[in-house]
Amino acid sequence: MVRSFTRPQPARIARFAASSLLLLQTAIATTLVSEFALTTPGTLLTQSAAAQSRPPSLQEAEAAVVHIRTDRGSGSGVIIDSNGLVVTNAHVIAGARQIVVTVQGRQVTAEVLSTGHSDCLDLALLRLPNQRNLPSLQLADARSIEKSQPVRGIGYPPGSSPNSPSVVQGTISNIDLPRGRILFDAAMNPGNSGGAVVDSQFRVVGIHKGSISGTEGIKVAVSVEQVRLFVEAYRQGLSFPLGQFVIPAVASSSQPMSQSFSLTRGNVQGNLQPQDSRFCADGSPTDIYTFDAEAGQSVMLKMASRQTGSRLVLIGPDGRTIAFDRSQGGNREAVLLRKLTQSGQYTVLAIAGGEAQAGQYDLQISQPILVEQGMLDASTAPCFDDGSLCRSYSFQGRAGQTVTLLVNSAFNPYLIVRDPNGDRVVEGKTERRDGVRFELPADGWYRLVVGGVEPGDRGEFTISILDTRDLPNTNQVSQR
């Protein structure tokens, strides 16, 4: 348990054992609503009535498969909307600074709308600006795809003209719905990546991705249902998580792929099932949540389950992973505690403990009173008589409120909390990972001072103040 401190005497902070909650404050760092909207399966709003009323000819299908050239290589793409929406593989454009698409003999610089990852969902969505009435292909109904079905592969292998794609014939050998792929045999080469795999009516059944290692002649295409969901994810504003972190569930195409909540204290009850979207790293069932926040706000997220292990990932508006935590051992909670540095939409992934795990869970969101990351270095002014350095922060509290202060530091810090009248509420030396609980004596603004014990103390620290009601039940800081 966290030791409790009461007024009126300032208490010297006792030392506490670090728990998994205190480790949360070290996060890992890594990596528009569209004008296009899907209608019934296999069609797009901006396809012409003529295109929907009859299957295209082979020549028309070839015209809808485009050559893509980047500063890193080349590949193929498929126009699926007559106003210039192109689907290709993520690996075709990965790392490219410029993407040039050859369409009807013209070279057009493409804009990247959304991109997945070759190790997750290998798709990318491009837009050709200021284009109208382009040839396009419909997306097939996934229910019409069968084993042994004849297909054609259309794309641009090495040496082919950017204005004349190659066409090869093949047969679907297997349909792997859980992994979102179609296996087929056809003589397709690396330059065909991103090209179309079409049925007898030249409807897209998949986007060619490559070959299966160790097999002879077996090719892989991203299934049309994944293509449809990827476009729908962009339309719903989920450009980053879908394809880079999560493979969407087929069942989610007719409903929102994520649930939104407010950045205030609240609770969501979820249920992870085998048919849900999957975390790319290991195939575990995953639910997606979003919330809007302003730069400078703080958030604490807690996921708890008695039926499955808990994992949480927080993704920023720029698509980069901000924080990650997982339950360990008998502790069934994952907790994220973070100060947000960007304004915009954040994404939360609630992930089961493993591929075979499923079950109900609770997801709680709340706003900490204070979360700050700082450093004592040569630029920090001394503020103690012995020359020790310190930094100070302000937070607002109310009379009678019980709070918990958590510290995670590269050095042994010395902490002082002063109330609105300037009186000391708490003062003392702490361990590098430590915590203390105390009651606030009055309404108003408090001052927190974080300093070094010795004049030579330097390094980074994270300090957090939480309403004690928001502490995880199984992650209490225990007294040493």
Side-chain angles (χ1 to χ4, degrees):
M1 294 294 293
V2 178
R3 175 169 299 205
S4 299
F5 286 87
T6 58
R7 315 185 277 114
Q9 294 182 347
R12 188 169 185 83
I13 299 178
R15 287 181 276 181
F16 299 92
S19 75
S20 57
L21 176 62
L22 296 172
L23 302 178
L24 298 176
Q25 302 176 101
T26 304
I28 61 171
T30 60
T31 31
L32 332 162
V33 174
S34 171
E35 62 195 87
F36 305 101
L38 293 176
T39 56
T40 57
T43 65
L44 289 162
L45 285 177
T46 52
Q47 287 183 313
S48 66
Q52 296 183 27
S53 63
R54 61 169 178 79
S57 65
L58 174 59
Q59 184 177 9
E60 291 171 328
E62 291 180 13
V65 180
V66 295
H67 181 269
I68 296 177
R69 176 175 54 82
T70 76
D71 50 300
R72 301 176 63 91
S74 64
S76 307
V78 184
I79 303 174
I80 60 171
D81 180 280
S82 61
N83 287 338
L85 189 64
V86 176
V87 174
T88 185
N89 289 139
H91 76 260
V92 169
I93 65 165
R97 292 187 298 269
Q98 186 178 47
I99 303 167
V100 177
V101 175
T102 301
V103 55
Q104 295 183 320
R106 296 175 290 109
Q107 293 187 338
V108 181
T109 299
E111 301 172 354
V112 178
L113 298 180
S114 180
T115 182
H117 193 277
S118 58
D119 292 333
C120 185
L121 187 56
D122 196 358
L123 291 175
L125 195 61
L126 311 178
R127 174 164 43 204
L128 306 179
N130 304 317
Q131 303 297 309
R132 296 291 183 269
N133 300 318
L134 296 179
S136 61
L137 293 181
Q138 294 184 34
L139 303 181
D141 186 339
R143 295 169 296 184
S144 68
I145 304 172
E146 300 176 343
K147 294 181 181 179
S148 301
Q149 178 179 337
V151 291
R152 287 184 173 94
I154 308 175
Y156 293 86
S160 60
S161 167
N163 298 307
S164 180
S166 67
V167 181
V168 297
Q169 295 187 359
T171 303
I172 293 177
S173 59
N174 206 348
I175 303 170
D176 187 356
L177 287 180
R179 301 176 68 177
R181 64 182 191 173
I182 294 173
L183 308 183
F184 65 104
D185 59 339
M188 301 187 77
N189 296 311
N192 286 294
S193 292
V197 180
V198 298
D199 61 16
S200 59
Q201 299 185 54
F202 300 105
R203 297 173 301 186
V204 177
V205 300
I207 299 297
H208 178 245
K209 176 180 178 179
S211 304
I212 295 182
S213 177
T215 64
E216 185 175 349
I218 302 299
K219 308 299 180 183
V220 181
V222 181
S223 71
V224 65
E225 195 63 26
Q226 295 297 319
V227 175
R228 180 175 286 108
L229 289 170
F230 187 70
V231 177
E232 177 64 16
Y234 171 74
R235 190 186 69 82
Q236 293 187 20
L238 297 174
S239 301
F240 294 120
L242 268 296
Q244 293 189 18
F245 300 93
V246 177
I247 297 176
V250 172
S252 64
S253 60
S254 60
Q255 53 192 259
M257 296 182 182
S258 66
Q259 181 176 341
S260 61
F261 48 64
S262 174
L263 189 60
T264 55
R265 184 182 289 113
N267 190 72
V268 177
Q269 293 183 329
N271 191 4
L272 292 167
Q273 294 299 315
Q275 67 271 20
D276 287 345
S277 298
R278 294 277 175 169
F279 188 47
C280 290
D282 60 7
S284 298
T286 302
D287 283 343
I288 305 172
Y289 298 88
T290 61
F291 65 90
D292 292 326
E294 298 295 328
Q297 290 184 306
S298 300
V299 63
M300 186 165 87
L301 296 156
K302 295 185 293 183
M303 177 184 177
S305 175
R306 296 182 178 180
Q307 301 175 353
T308 175
S310 303
R311 288 184 288 176
L312 283 173
V313 176
L314 178 61
I315 304 169
D318 60 356
R320 294 181 180 272
T321 300
I322 297 174
F324 168 82
D325 190 50
R326 66 181 303 159
S327 58
Q328 298 183 13
N331 172 20
R332 310 300 285 178
E333 286 188 345
V335 187
L336 297 181
L337 179 63
R338 198 69 174 176
K339 183 175 182 178
L340 306 176
T341 59
Q342 303 174 65
S343 297
Q345 184 182 83
Y346 287 78
T347 303
V348 178
L349 305 182
I351 310 166
E355 182 177 6
Q357 295 191 24
Q360 296 179 342
Y361 65 88
D362 288 327
L363 178 64
Q364 181 179 330
I365 183 170
S366 60
Q367 286 188 275
I369 298 170
L370 178 75
V371 178
E372 291 289 350
Q373 293 175 291
M375 176 180 289
L376 299 185
D377 56 20
S379 66
T380 311
C383 56
F384 293 110
D385 293 340
D386 63 357
S388 296
L389 309 181
C390 76
R391 293 192 181 275
S392 63
Y393 304 94
S394 297
F395 67 92
Q396 192 170 19
R398 63 181 185 276
Q401 184 178 14
T402 302
V403 301
T404 299
L405 186 153
L406 304 176
V407 61
N408 186 355
S409 174
F411 54 90
N412 292 101
Y414 194 87
L415 305 178
I416 301 173
V417 177
R418 293 183 181 274
D419 67 15
N421 297 320
D423 296 328
R424 297 186 183 187
V425 181
V426 168
E427 178 179 357
K429 172 186 173 181
T430 75
E431 294 294 325
R432 297 187 178 192
R433 293 191 176 103
D434 231 334
V436 62
R437 178 181 298 170
F438 55 95
E439 182 178 319
L440 302 181
D443 294 343
W445 286 92
Y446 288 74
R447 183 170 177 248
L448 167 65
V449 177
V450 183
V453 175
E454 303 293 339
D457 285 339
R458 301 287 189 277
E460 297 180 344
F461 63 86
T462 300
I463 199 82
S464 307
I465 298 179
L466 311 173
D467 190 308
T468 301
R469 295 175 301 170
D470 294 330
L471 282 175
N473 294 329
T474 58
N475 266 343
Q476 296 287 345
V477 182
S478 58
Q479 182 177 358
R480 181 179 295 171

